[in-house]
Amino acid sequence: SAVISQKPSRDICQRGTSLTIQCQVDSQVTMMFWYRQQPGQSLTLIATANQGSEATYESGFVIDKFPISRPNLTFSTLTVSNMSPEDSSIYLCSVEGETGKVTEAFFGQGTRLTVV
Amino acid sequence: AQSVTQLDSQVPVFEEAPVELRCNYSSSVSVYLFWYVQYPNQGLQLLLKYLSGSTLVKGINGFEAEFNKSQTSFHLRKPSVHISDTAEYFCAVRIVAAGNKLTFGGGTRVLVKP
């Protein structure tokens, strides 16, 4: 299993500002995933972050709005840029159990973001 | 592209009663199937998974699910719920040999009443 720590756990931000969310894993992992969970909705994958390469974004998400860093095998950040109230969501970091094997995904506790 | 449908957005149930949460997926290829639970203000925790083999899968906290390939379903059941089972439940699908992308259903909110 993997233990994932996310910071901050919640924040209230002014529109037009940016927030960087940190994700720390207790073991080295190849791929890290960032999800968005809008109020009352399911999880939507934002992007996949591999160490040493640019993140791969899903349809509807762009790097300018959600820049991601992946400096090493245990850490990643997601920035929500130029925020608007529509960005109010829970943002979750996730990793796979074992590289090359089909195991479950592990999730951080999430960052609850409110944009006012 | 695959999709996952959870047919019930909310399921109220009395304590000690059984509960079934329905999940259907659309995919013409083999899939891996998962059920996750999200307690209030927490991340997701795996309840159980189906990769291959027996179609009846047992998970944590007394939950089980049955994979039905012909009906493309993976319904979650518990014979007797507790107040502590109040949470959001998500069904998720991953296509075999198609990378690690998970597709989630819309979620089912279970409210256990005393």
Side-chain angles (χ1 to χ4, degrees), chain B residues 25-89:
Chain B
Y25 66 93
S26 64
S27 176
S28 59
V29 297
S30 296
V31 296
Y32 300 126
L33 298 157
F34 305 83
W35 274 99
Y36 285 87
V37 60
Q38 185 178 34
Y39 298 106
N41 299 314
Q42 294 191 26
L44 274 71
Q45 179 183 3
L46 182 74
L47 279 176
L48 47 79
K49 61 186 177 186
Y50 172 78
L51 306 182
S52 64
S54 173
T55 57
L56 182 62
V57 180
K58 294 189 182 298
I60 63 171
N61 301 341
F63 284 93
E64 64 179 31
E66 186 152 20
F67 170 55
N68 188 318
K69 187 176 181 179
S70 62
Q71 297 186 5
T72 61
S73 68
F74 191 53
H75 300 334
L76 180 71
R77 290 186 281 266
K78 185 170 182 176
S80 175
V81 296
H82 301 136
I83 295 289
S84 60
D85 291 321
T86 294
E88 186 98 21
Y89 293 80

Short mmCIF file of all heavy atoms in Angstrom, two decimals, chain B residues 25-89:
data_model
loop_
_atom_site.label_atom_id
_atom_site.label_comp_id
_atom_site.label_asym_id
_atom_site.label_seq_id
_atom_site.Cartn_x
_atom_site.Cartn_y
_atom_site.Cartn_z
N TYR B 25 -21.21 -1.00 -16.69
CA TYR B 25 -20.17 -0.37 -17.47
C TYR B 25 -20.36 -0.72 -18.93
O TYR B 25 -21.04 -1.70 -19.28
CB TYR B 25 -18.79 -0.82 -16.99
CG TYR B 25 -18.52 -2.29 -17.21
CD1 TYR B 25 -17.89 -2.73 -18.36
CD2 TYR B 25 -18.92 -3.23 -16.27
CE1 TYR B 25 -17.66 -4.08 -18.58
CE2 TYR B 25 -18.71 -4.58 -16.47
CZ TYR B 25 -18.07 -5.00 -17.63
OH TYR B 25 -17.87 -6.33 -17.84
N SER B 26 -19.80 0.08 -19.79
CA SER B 26 -19.85 -0.20 -21.22
C SER B 26 -18.43 -0.33 -21.72
O SER B 26 -17.64 0.61 -21.63
CB SER B 26 -20.57 0.92 -21.96
OG SER B 26 -19.87 2.13 -21.84
N SER B 27 -18.11 -1.52 -22.19
CA SER B 27 -16.80 -1.77 -22.78
C SER B 27 -16.89 -3.06 -23.56
O SER B 27 -17.47 -4.04 -23.08
CB SER B 27 -15.72 -1.87 -21.71
OG SER B 27 -14.47 -2.21 -22.30
N SER B 28 -16.28 -3.06 -24.71
CA SER B 28 -16.29 -4.27 -25.54
C SER B 28 -15.07 -5.14 -25.29
O SER B 28 -14.94 -6.21 -25.88
CB SER B 28 -16.36 -3.88 -27.02
OG SER B 28 -15.25 -3.07 -27.35
N VAL B 29 -14.18 -4.67 -24.42
CA VAL B 29 -12.98 -5.43 -24.13
C VAL B 29 -12.95 -5.74 -22.63
O VAL B 29 -13.77 -5.26 -21.86
CB VAL B 29 -11.72 -4.65 -24.54
CG1 VAL B 29 -11.70 -4.44 -26.04
CG2 VAL B 29 -11.65 -3.31 -23.81
N SER B 30 -11.97 -6.54 -22.26
CA SER B 30 -11.88 -6.96 -20.86
C SER B 30 -11.53 -5.78 -19.96
O SER B 30 -10.78 -4.88 -20.35
CB SER B 30 -10.80 -8.03 -20.71
OG SER B 30 -11.15 -9.19 -21.42
N VAL B 31 -12.11 -5.80 -18.78
CA VAL B 31 -11.92 -4.70 -17.83
C VAL B 31 -11.55 -5.23 -16.45
O VAL B 31 -11.78 -6.40 -16.13
CB VAL B 31 -13.18 -3.83 -17.71
CG1 VAL B 31 -13.52 -3.15 -19.01
CG2 VAL B 31 -14.36 -4.67 -17.23
N TYR B 32 -10.98 -4.35 -15.67
CA TYR B 32 -10.81 -4.56 -14.25
C TYR B 32 -11.82 -3.65 -13.55
O TYR B 32 -12.06 -2.53 -13.98
CB TYR B 32 -9.39 -4.21 -13.79
CG TYR B 32 -8.30 -5.01 -14.47
CD1 TYR B 32 -7.25 -4.36 -15.12
CD2 TYR B 32 -8.31 -6.39 -14.43
CE1 TYR B 32 -6.24 -5.08 -15.73
CE2 TYR B 32 -7.29 -7.12 -15.05
CZ TYR B 32 -6.27 -6.47 -15.69
OH TYR B 32 -5.27 -7.19 -16.29
N LEU B 33 -12.37 -4.14 -12.46
CA LEU B 33 -13.46 -3.42 -11.80
C LEU B 33 -13.15 -3.18 -10.33
O LEU B 33 -12.58 -4.05 -9.66
CB LEU B 33 -14.75 -4.23 -11.93
CG LEU B 33 -15.21 -4.44 -13.38
CD1 LEU B 33 -16.10 -5.65 -13.47
CD2 LEU B 33 -15.95 -3.21 -13.87
N PHE B 34 -13.56 -2.03 -9.84
CA PHE B 34 -13.24 -1.63 -8.48
C PHE B 34 -14.46 -0.95 -7.84
O PHE B 34 -15.26 -0.31 -8.53
CB PHE B 34 -12.08 -0.62 -8.46
CG PHE B 34 -10.84 -1.09 -9.16
CD1 PHE B 34 -10.71 -0.97 -10.54
CD2 PHE B 34 -9.79 -1.64 -8.44
CE1 PHE B 34 -9.56 -1.41 -11.19
CE2 PHE B 34 -8.63 -2.07 -9.09
CZ PHE B 34 -8.53 -1.96 -10.46
N TRP B 35 -14.56 -1.09 -6.54
CA TRP B 35 -15.48 -0.28 -5.74
C TRP B 35 -14.66 0.45 -4.67
O TRP B 35 -13.85 -0.16 -3.96
CB TRP B 35 -16.53 -1.13 -5.04
CG TRP B 35 -17.74 -1.42 -5.88
CD1 TRP B 35 -18.02 -2.55 -6.58
CD2 TRP B 35 -18.86 -0.55 -6.08
NE1 TRP B 35 -19.23 -2.44 -7.21
CE2 TRP B 35 -19.78 -1.22 -6.92
CE3 TRP B 35 -19.19 0.74 -5.63
CZ2 TRP B 35 -21.00 -0.66 -7.32
CZ3 TRP B 35 -20.39 1.28 -6.02
CH2 TRP B 35 -21.28 0.59 -6.86
N TYR B 36 -14.90 1.77 -4.61
CA TYR B 36 -14.25 2.60 -3.60
C TYR B 36 -15.31 3.22 -2.71
O TYR B 36 -16.44 3.47 -3.14
CB TYR B 36 -13.45 3.73 -4.26
CG TYR B 36 -12.16 3.30 -4.90
CD1 TYR B 36 -12.12 2.84 -6.21
CD2 TYR B 36 -10.96 3.36 -4.18
CE1 TYR B 36 -10.93 2.44 -6.79
CE2 TYR B 36 -9.77 2.98 -4.76
CZ TYR B 36 -9.76 2.51 -6.06
OH TYR B 36 -8.58 2.12 -6.63
N VAL B 37 -14.91 3.54 -1.48
CA VAL B 37 -15.79 4.24 -0.55
C VAL B 37 -15.11 5.55 -0.15
O VAL B 37 -13.88 5.61 0.01
CB VAL B 37 -16.11 3.38 0.70
CG1 VAL B 37 -14.85 3.01 1.47
CG2 VAL B 37 -17.10 4.10 1.60
N GLN B 38 -15.93 6.58 -0.02
CA GLN B 38 -15.43 7.89 0.43
C GLN B 38 -16.25 8.33 1.62
O GLN B 38 -17.43 8.69 1.47
CB GLN B 38 -15.51 8.92 -0.69
CG GLN B 38 -14.89 10.26 -0.34
CD GLN B 38 -14.95 11.24 -1.49
OE1 GLN B 38 -15.88 11.25 -2.29
NE2 GLN B 38 -13.92 12.08 -1.61
N TYR B 39 -15.63 8.30 2.79
CA TYR B 39 -16.30 8.80 3.98
C TYR B 39 -16.22 10.32 4.00
O TYR B 39 -15.35 10.90 3.35
CB TYR B 39 -15.67 8.19 5.23
CG TYR B 39 -15.82 6.69 5.29
CD1 TYR B 39 -14.72 5.85 5.05
CD2 TYR B 39 -17.04 6.09 5.55
CE1 TYR B 39 -14.85 4.47 5.08
CE2 TYR B 39 -17.18 4.71 5.57
CZ TYR B 39 -16.08 3.91 5.33
OH TYR B 39 -16.22 2.54 5.34
N PRO B 40 -17.10 10.97 4.73
CA PRO B 40 -17.12 12.44 4.73
C PRO B 40 -15.75 13.05 5.00
O PRO B 40 -15.06 12.65 5.93
CB PRO B 40 -18.13 12.76 5.83
CG PRO B 40 -19.05 11.58 5.85
CD PRO B 40 -18.17 10.40 5.55
N ASN B 41 -15.38 13.98 4.15
CA ASN B 41 -14.13 14.74 4.28
C ASN B 41 -12.88 13.85 4.23
O ASN B 41 -11.85 14.19 4.83
CB ASN B 41 -14.12 15.53 5.59
CG ASN B 41 -15.26 16.53 5.64
OD1 ASN B 41 -15.50 17.24 4.68
ND2 ASN B 41 -15.98 16.55 6.74
N GLN B 42 -12.98 12.75 3.53
CA GLN B 42 -11.82 11.88 3.38
C GLN B 42 -11.59 11.53 1.92
O GLN B 42 -12.43 11.82 1.07
CB GLN B 42 -12.03 10.59 4.19
CG GLN B 42 -12.08 10.82 5.69
CD GLN B 42 -12.01 9.53 6.47
OE1 GLN B 42 -11.47 8.52 6.00
NE2 GLN B 42 -12.54 9.55 7.68
N GLY B 43 -10.43 10.92 1.65
CA GLY B 43 -10.15 10.45 0.30
C GLY B 43 -10.86 9.14 0.04
O GLY B 43 -11.75 8.72 0.79
N LEU B 44 -10.50 8.47 -1.04
CA LEU B 44 -11.14 7.21 -1.41
C LEU B 44 -10.37 6.02 -0.86
O LEU B 44 -9.13 6.01 -0.85
CB LEU B 44 -11.21 7.10 -2.94
CG LEU B 44 -12.41 7.75 -3.61
CD1 LEU B 44 -12.30 9.25 -3.55
CD2 LEU B 44 -12.56 7.27 -5.03
N GLN B 45 -11.12 5.03 -0.45
CA GLN B 45 -10.54 3.79 0.08
C GLN B 45 -11.10 2.62 -0.71
O GLN B 45 -12.31 2.56 -0.97
CB GLN B 45 -10.90 3.65 1.56
CG GLN B 45 -10.39 2.39 2.23
CD GLN B 45 -10.85 2.28 3.67
OE1 GLN B 45 -11.60 3.12 4.17
NE2 GLN B 45 -10.41 1.24 4.35
N LEU B 46 -10.24 1.69 -1.09
CA LEU B 46 -10.69 0.55 -1.86
C LEU B 46 -11.51 -0.40 -1.00
O LEU B 46 -11.09 -0.79 0.09
CB LEU B 46 -9.49 -0.21 -2.43
CG LEU B 46 -9.85 -1.42 -3.29
CD1 LEU B 46 -10.37 -0.94 -4.65
CD2 LEU B 46 -8.65 -2.33 -3.48
N LEU B 47 -12.68 -0.79 -1.50
CA LEU B 47 -13.49 -1.81 -0.85
C LEU B 47 -13.17 -3.19 -1.38
O LEU B 47 -13.00 -4.14 -0.62
CB LEU B 47 -14.98 -1.54 -1.10
CG LEU B 47 -15.68 -0.51 -0.23
CD1 LEU B 47 -17.11 -0.34 -0.73
CD2 LEU B 47 -15.66 -0.91 1.22
N LEU B 48 -13.10 -3.29 -2.71
CA LEU B 48 -12.82 -4.58 -3.34
C LEU B 48 -12.50 -4.35 -4.81
O LEU B 48 -12.74 -3.26 -5.34
CB LEU B 48 -14.00 -5.55 -3.18
CG LEU B 48 -15.41 -5.03 -3.49
CD1 LEU B 48 -15.68 -4.99 -4.98
CD2 LEU B 48 -16.46 -5.90 -2.80
N LYS B 49 -11.98 -5.42 -5.44
CA LYS B 49 -11.63 -5.32 -6.85
C LYS B 49 -11.83 -6.67 -7.52
O LYS B 49 -11.72 -7.73 -6.88
CB LYS B 49 -10.18 -4.88 -7.02
CG LYS B 49 -9.16 -5.84 -6.40
CD LYS B 49 -7.76 -5.26 -6.47
CE LYS B 49 -6.76 -6.19 -5.78
NZ LYS B 49 -5.40 -5.60 -5.71
N TYR B 50 -12.15 -6.63 -8.80
CA TYR B 50 -12.21 -7.82 -9.62
C TYR B 50 -11.19 -7.69 -10.74
O TYR B 50 -11.23 -6.76 -11.54
CB TYR B 50 -13.60 -8.02 -10.24
CG TYR B 50 -13.61 -9.15 -11.24
CD1 TYR B 50 -13.65 -10.48 -10.82
CD2 TYR B 50 -13.50 -8.90 -12.61
CE1 TYR B 50 -13.62 -11.51 -11.73
CE2 TYR B 50 -13.46 -9.93 -13.52
CZ TYR B 50 -13.52 -11.24 -13.08
OH TYR B 50 -13.47 -12.27 -13.98
N LEU B 51 -10.26 -8.65 -10.78
CA LEU B 51 -9.26 -8.68 -11.84
C LEU B 51 -9.50 -9.87 -12.76
O LEU B 51 -9.44 -9.76 -13.99
CB LEU B 51 -7.85 -8.73 -11.26
CG LEU B 51 -7.49 -7.63 -10.26
CD1 LEU B 51 -6.05 -7.76 -9.80
CD2 LEU B 51 -7.72 -6.25 -10.86
N SER B 52 -9.74 -11.04 -12.16
CA SER B 52 -10.02 -12.26 -12.91
C SER B 52 -10.46 -13.32 -11.91
O SER B 52 -10.48 -13.10 -10.71
CB SER B 52 -8.78 -12.74 -13.67
OG SER B 52 -7.75 -13.09 -12.76
N GLY B 53 -10.82 -14.50 -12.44
CA GLY B 53 -11.15 -15.60 -11.55
C GLY B 53 -12.60 -15.58 -11.11
O GLY B 53 -13.50 -15.22 -11.88
N SER B 54 -12.82 -15.93 -9.87
CA SER B 54 -14.17 -16.03 -9.32
C SER B 54 -14.91 -14.71 -9.50
O SER B 54 -14.38 -13.63 -9.22
CB SER B 54 -14.12 -16.39 -7.84
OG SER B 54 -15.43 -16.32 -7.27
N THR B 55 -16.15 -14.83 -9.95
CA THR B 55 -16.92 -13.62 -10.21
C THR B 55 -17.48 -13.00 -8.95
O THR B 55 -17.93 -11.86 -8.98
CB THR B 55 -18.08 -13.93 -11.17
OG1 THR B 55 -18.89 -14.96 -10.60
CG2 THR B 55 -17.55 -14.39 -12.52
N LEU B 56 -17.46 -13.72 -7.84
CA LEU B 56 -17.91 -13.17 -6.56
C LEU B 56 -16.68 -12.72 -5.78
O LEU B 56 -15.82 -13.52 -5.44
CB LEU B 56 -18.70 -14.21 -5.77
CG LEU B 56 -19.27 -13.73 -4.43
CD1 LEU B 56 -20.27 -12.60 -4.66
CD2 LEU B 56 -19.92 -14.88 -3.69
N VAL B 57 -16.64 -11.46 -5.50
CA VAL B 57 -15.47 -10.88 -4.85
C VAL B 57 -15.86 -10.37 -3.47
O VAL B 57 -16.86 -9.67 -3.33
CB VAL B 57 -14.91 -9.71 -5.68
CG1 VAL B 57 -13.71 -9.10 -4.99
CG2 VAL B 57 -14.57 -10.16 -7.08
N LYS B 58 -15.09 -10.72 -2.48
CA LYS B 58 -15.35 -10.24 -1.12
C LYS B 58 -14.34 -9.16 -0.77
O LYS B 58 -13.16 -9.25 -1.11
CB LYS B 58 -15.27 -11.39 -0.13
CG LYS B 58 -16.39 -12.42 -0.33
CD LYS B 58 -16.43 -13.44 0.77
CE LYS B 58 -17.52 -14.47 0.52
NZ LYS B 58 -18.87 -13.85 0.48
N GLY B 59 -14.85 -8.13 -0.11
CA GLY B 59 -13.98 -7.02 0.25
C GLY B 59 -13.97 -6.76 1.74
O GLY B 59 -14.35 -7.61 2.54
N ILE B 60 -13.58 -5.55 2.08
CA ILE B 60 -13.51 -5.18 3.49
C ILE B 60 -14.88 -4.78 4.02
O ILE B 60 -15.80 -4.51 3.25
CB ILE B 60 -12.50 -4.04 3.71
CG1 ILE B 60 -12.96 -2.78 2.98
CG2 ILE B 60 -11.11 -4.45 3.27
CD1 ILE B 60 -12.14 -1.54 3.32
N ASN B 61 -14.99 -4.76 5.34
CA ASN B 61 -16.20 -4.28 6.01
C ASN B 61 -17.46 -5.05 5.63
O ASN B 61 -18.56 -4.51 5.71
CB ASN B 61 -16.42 -2.79 5.74
CG ASN B 61 -15.26 -1.93 6.20
OD1 ASN B 61 -14.45 -2.36 7.02
ND2 ASN B 61 -15.15 -0.73 5.68
N GLY B 62 -17.31 -6.33 5.21
CA GLY B 62 -18.47 -7.15 4.92
C GLY B 62 -19.11 -6.95 3.56
O GLY B 62 -20.17 -7.51 3.27
N PHE B 63 -18.47 -6.16 2.71
CA PHE B 63 -19.00 -5.92 1.37
C PHE B 63 -18.57 -7.03 0.40
O PHE B 63 -17.51 -7.62 0.55
CB PHE B 63 -18.53 -4.57 0.83
CG PHE B 63 -19.25 -3.40 1.41
CD1 PHE B 63 -18.74 -2.74 2.52
CD2 PHE B 63 -20.44 -2.95 0.86
CE1 PHE B 63 -19.40 -1.67 3.08
CE2 PHE B 63 -21.11 -1.86 1.40
CZ PHE B 63 -20.59 -1.23 2.52
N GLU B 64 -19.40 -7.27 -0.59
CA GLU B 64 -19.05 -8.18 -1.67
C GLU B 64 -19.66 -7.66 -2.97
O GLU B 64 -20.61 -6.85 -2.94
CB GLU B 64 -19.54 -9.61 -1.39
CG GLU B 64 -21.04 -9.75 -1.31
CD GLU B 64 -21.45 -11.19 -1.04
OE1 GLU B 64 -20.71 -11.93 -0.36
OE2 GLU B 64 -22.53 -11.58 -1.53
N ALA B 65 -19.13 -8.12 -4.09
CA ALA B 65 -19.65 -7.70 -5.38
C ALA B 65 -19.56 -8.86 -6.33
O ALA B 65 -18.71 -9.74 -6.20
CB ALA B 65 -18.86 -6.51 -5.92
N GLU B 66 -20.45 -8.87 -7.30
CA GLU B 66 -20.49 -9.94 -8.28
C GLU B 66 -20.30 -9.38 -9.68
O GLU B 66 -21.05 -8.49 -10.11
CB GLU B 66 -21.78 -10.73 -8.20
CG GLU B 66 -21.79 -11.96 -9.13
CD GLU B 66 -22.68 -13.07 -8.62
OE1 GLU B 66 -23.55 -12.78 -7.79
OE2 GLU B 66 -22.48 -14.21 -9.06
N PHE B 67 -19.33 -9.92 -10.39
CA PHE B 67 -19.08 -9.52 -11.77
C PHE B 67 -19.95 -10.36 -12.68
O PHE B 67 -19.94 -11.59 -12.62
CB PHE B 67 -17.60 -9.75 -12.10
CG PHE B 67 -17.27 -9.62 -13.56
CD1 PHE B 67 -17.59 -8.46 -14.25
CD2 PHE B 67 -16.62 -10.65 -14.24
CE1 PHE B 67 -17.27 -8.32 -15.60
CE2 PHE B 67 -16.31 -10.52 -15.58
CZ PHE B 67 -16.63 -9.35 -16.27
N ASN B 68 -20.72 -9.69 -13.53
CA ASN B 68 -21.56 -10.38 -14.50
C ASN B 68 -21.19 -9.87 -15.88
O ASN B 68 -21.58 -8.77 -16.28
CB ASN B 68 -23.04 -10.12 -14.20
CG ASN B 68 -23.95 -10.97 -15.08
OD1 ASN B 68 -23.72 -11.13 -16.27
ND2 ASN B 68 -25.00 -11.52 -14.48
N LYS B 69 -20.42 -10.68 -16.59
CA LYS B 69 -19.90 -10.24 -17.89
C LYS B 69 -21.01 -10.04 -18.91
O LYS B 69 -20.98 -9.08 -19.68
CB LYS B 69 -18.88 -11.26 -18.42
CG LYS B 69 -18.16 -10.81 -19.67
CD LYS B 69 -17.11 -11.82 -20.07
CE LYS B 69 -16.37 -11.35 -21.33
NZ LYS B 69 -15.31 -12.31 -21.72
N SER B 70 -21.98 -10.92 -18.93
CA SER B 70 -23.04 -10.83 -19.94
C SER B 70 -23.90 -9.58 -19.74
O SER B 70 -24.39 -9.00 -20.71
CB SER B 70 -23.92 -12.07 -19.90
OG SER B 70 -24.57 -12.19 -18.64
N GLN B 71 -24.05 -9.17 -18.49
CA GLN B 71 -24.83 -7.97 -18.20
C GLN B 71 -23.94 -6.76 -17.99
O GLN B 71 -24.45 -5.67 -17.69
CB GLN B 71 -25.71 -8.21 -16.97
CG GLN B 71 -26.76 -9.31 -17.18
CD GLN B 71 -27.71 -9.44 -16.01
OE1 GLN B 71 -27.67 -8.66 -15.07
NE2 GLN B 71 -28.58 -10.43 -16.07
N THR B 72 -22.65 -6.93 -18.13
CA THR B 72 -21.66 -5.85 -17.89
C THR B 72 -22.00 -5.10 -16.60
O THR B 72 -22.14 -3.87 -16.59
CB THR B 72 -21.55 -4.89 -19.08
OG1 THR B 72 -22.82 -4.27 -19.33
CG2 THR B 72 -21.09 -5.61 -20.32
N SER B 73 -22.13 -5.87 -15.54
CA SER B 73 -22.47 -5.26 -14.25
C SER B 73 -21.49 -5.70 -13.18
O SER B 73 -20.84 -6.74 -13.28
CB SER B 73 -23.90 -5.63 -13.84
OG SER B 73 -23.99 -7.02 -13.54
N PHE B 74 -21.45 -4.91 -12.12
CA PHE B 74 -20.58 -5.20 -10.97
C PHE B 74 -21.25 -4.59 -9.74
O PHE B 74 -20.81 -3.60 -9.18
CB PHE B 74 -19.19 -4.62 -11.21
CG PHE B 74 -18.14 -5.07 -10.22
CD1 PHE B 74 -17.91 -6.41 -9.99
CD2 PHE B 74 -17.34 -4.14 -9.56
CE1 PHE B 74 -16.92 -6.83 -9.10
CE2 PHE B 74 -16.35 -4.54 -8.66
CZ PHE B 74 -16.15 -5.89 -8.44
N HIS B 75 -22.33 -5.19 -9.32
CA HIS B 75 -23.14 -4.65 -8.22
C HIS B 75 -22.51 -4.98 -6.87
O HIS B 75 -22.01 -6.08 -6.64
CB HIS B 75 -24.56 -5.22 -8.28
CG HIS B 75 -25.29 -4.91 -9.54
ND1 HIS B 75 -25.00 -3.81 -10.33
CD2 HIS B 75 -26.30 -5.57 -10.17
CE1 HIS B 75 -25.80 -3.79 -11.38
NE2 HIS B 75 -26.60 -4.85 -11.31
N LEU B 76 -22.60 -4.02 -5.98
CA LEU B 76 -22.02 -4.13 -4.63
C LEU B 76 -23.13 -4.43 -3.64
O LEU B 76 -24.21 -3.84 -3.72
CB LEU B 76 -21.34 -2.81 -4.26
CG LEU B 76 -20.68 -2.72 -2.88
CD1 LEU B 76 -19.42 -3.57 -2.83
CD2 LEU B 76 -20.35 -1.27 -2.55
N ARG B 77 -22.86 -5.33 -2.70
CA ARG B 77 -23.88 -5.72 -1.72
C ARG B 77 -23.29 -5.84 -0.33
O ARG B 77 -22.09 -6.11 -0.16
CB ARG B 77 -24.51 -7.05 -2.10
CG ARG B 77 -25.37 -7.01 -3.34
CD ARG B 77 -26.07 -8.36 -3.52
NE ARG B 77 -25.19 -9.34 -4.10
CZ ARG B 77 -25.11 -9.60 -5.41
NH1 ARG B 77 -25.86 -8.91 -6.25
NH2 ARG B 77 -24.31 -10.52 -5.86
N LYS B 78 -24.17 -5.60 0.64
CA LYS B 78 -23.83 -5.89 2.03
C LYS B 78 -25.10 -6.39 2.71
O LYS B 78 -26.13 -5.72 2.60
CB LYS B 78 -23.27 -4.66 2.74
CG LYS B 78 -22.80 -4.96 4.16
CD LYS B 78 -22.02 -3.81 4.77
CE LYS B 78 -21.54 -4.19 6.17
NZ LYS B 78 -20.69 -3.14 6.79
N PRO B 79 -25.03 -7.52 3.39
CA PRO B 79 -26.26 -8.11 3.95
C PRO B 79 -26.85 -7.35 5.12
O PRO B 79 -28.05 -7.42 5.37
CB PRO B 79 -25.81 -9.52 4.36
CG PRO B 79 -24.33 -9.45 4.48
CD PRO B 79 -23.86 -8.40 3.54
N SER B 80 -26.00 -6.59 5.83
CA SER B 80 -26.51 -5.88 7.01
C SER B 80 -25.63 -4.65 7.24
O SER B 80 -24.45 -4.76 7.58
CB SER B 80 -26.45 -6.80 8.25
OG SER B 80 -26.82 -6.11 9.41
N VAL B 81 -26.21 -3.48 7.04
CA VAL B 81 -25.40 -2.26 7.12
C VAL B 81 -25.38 -1.69 8.53
O VAL B 81 -26.29 -1.92 9.33
CB VAL B 81 -25.90 -1.19 6.14
CG1 VAL B 81 -25.74 -1.67 4.71
CG2 VAL B 81 -27.34 -0.78 6.43
N HIS B 82 -24.32 -0.91 8.79
CA HIS B 82 -24.19 -0.20 10.05
C HIS B 82 -24.26 1.30 9.78
O HIS B 82 -24.08 1.75 8.64
CB HIS B 82 -22.83 -0.53 10.71
CG HIS B 82 -22.66 -1.97 10.98
ND1 HIS B 82 -21.48 -2.64 10.71
CD2 HIS B 82 -23.51 -2.89 11.49
CE1 HIS B 82 -21.61 -3.92 11.04
NE2 HIS B 82 -22.83 -4.09 11.52
N ILE B 83 -24.49 2.04 10.84
CA ILE B 83 -24.50 3.50 10.71
C ILE B 83 -23.20 3.98 10.08
O ILE B 83 -23.18 4.91 9.26
CB ILE B 83 -24.69 4.17 12.07
CG1 ILE B 83 -26.06 3.85 12.66
CG2 ILE B 83 -24.50 5.68 11.97
CD1 ILE B 83 -27.21 4.52 11.95
N SER B 84 -22.10 3.33 10.41
CA SER B 84 -20.78 3.74 9.92
C SER B 84 -20.59 3.51 8.43
O SER B 84 -19.60 3.96 7.87
CB SER B 84 -19.69 2.99 10.69
OG SER B 84 -19.84 1.59 10.53
N ASP B 85 -21.52 2.83 7.79
CA ASP B 85 -21.45 2.63 6.34
C ASP B 85 -21.98 3.83 5.56
O ASP B 85 -21.95 3.84 4.33
CB ASP B 85 -22.23 1.37 5.94
CG ASP B 85 -21.57 0.10 6.43
OD1 ASP B 85 -20.32 0.03 6.40
OD2 ASP B 85 -22.30 -0.82 6.87
N THR B 86 -22.48 4.83 6.26
CA THR B 86 -22.92 6.06 5.61
C THR B 86 -21.73 6.71 4.92
O THR B 86 -20.75 7.09 5.57
CB THR B 86 -23.53 7.03 6.63
OG1 THR B 86 -24.74 6.46 7.15
CG2 THR B 86 -23.84 8.38 5.99
N ALA B 87 -21.80 6.80 3.60
CA ALA B 87 -20.67 7.29 2.81
C ALA B 87 -21.09 7.37 1.35
O ALA B 87 -22.21 7.03 0.98
CB ALA B 87 -19.48 6.33 2.95
N GLU B 88 -20.13 7.81 0.52
CA GLU B 88 -20.32 7.82 -0.93
C GLU B 88 -19.54 6.63 -1.49
O GLU B 88 -18.40 6.38 -1.09
CB GLU B 88 -19.78 9.11 -1.53
CG GLU B 88 -20.04 9.28 -3.01
CD GLU B 88 -21.26 10.15 -3.29
OE1 GLU B 88 -21.65 10.92 -2.40
OE2 GLU B 88 -21.81 10.05 -4.39
N TYR B 89 -20.17 5.92 -2.42
CA TYR B 89 -19.55 4.72 -3.00
C TYR B 89 -19.38 4.92 -4.50
O TYR B 89 -20.32 5.35 -5.19
CB TYR B 89 -20.42 3.49 -2.71
CG TYR B 89 -20.46 3.14 -1.24
CD1 TYR B 89 -21.29 3.84 -0.37
CD2 TYR B 89 -19.64 2.15 -0.72
CE1 TYR B 89 -21.31 3.54 0.99
CE2 TYR B 89 -19.65 1.84 0.64
CZ TYR B 89 -20.50 2.54 1.48
OH TYR B 89 -20.50 2.26 2.83
#
